[in-house]
């Protein structure tokens, strides 16, 4: 059975470790947004252009519903 003093000591150790982690995280530079790394990644890839063309052709082949809320 854990005593009150043992729990207090463990909690103090956890709080101390947490403060150390928070200090280390605060010193890190901010991480770049993941989307910034993706933008332009497929810019000159012919396969990407083909995918865009297929998507465009698919969308243009679908009839537009009369009611914007209705399923296609």
């Amino acid at each position: 059975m854990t005593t009150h003093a043992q729990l207090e000591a463990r909690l103090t150790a956890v709080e101390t470790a947490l403060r150390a982690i928070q200090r280390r995280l605060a010193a890190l530079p901010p991480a770049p947004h993941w989307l910034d790394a993706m933008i332009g990644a497929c810019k000159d890839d012919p396969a990407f252009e083909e995918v865009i063309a297929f998507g465009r052709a698919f969308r243009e082949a679908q009839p537009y519903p009369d009611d914007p809320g209705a399923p296609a």
Side-chain angles (χ1 to χ4, degrees):
M1 182 109 191
T2 305
T3 67
H4 183 72
Q6 289 171 325
L7 285 175
E8 285 289 332
R10 290 177 67 184
L11 181 59
T12 301
V14 168
E15 289 172 339
T16 302
L18 180 60
R19 279 193 296 276
I21 291 170
Q22 288 172 332
R23 279 193 301 272
R24 289 177 59 190
L25 287 175
L28 292 176
H33 193 277
W34 67 270
L35 188 56
D36 291 337
M38 298 302 298
I39 293 173
C42 299
K43 180 177 146 188
D44 297 322
D45 189 346
F48 180 72
E49 296 301 324
E50 187 177 3
V51 168
I52 296 296
F54 281 140
R56 184 176 295 115
F58 178 78
R59 287 190 308 276
E60 290 172 355
Q62 300 300 309
Y64 286 98
D66 294 335
D67 179 8

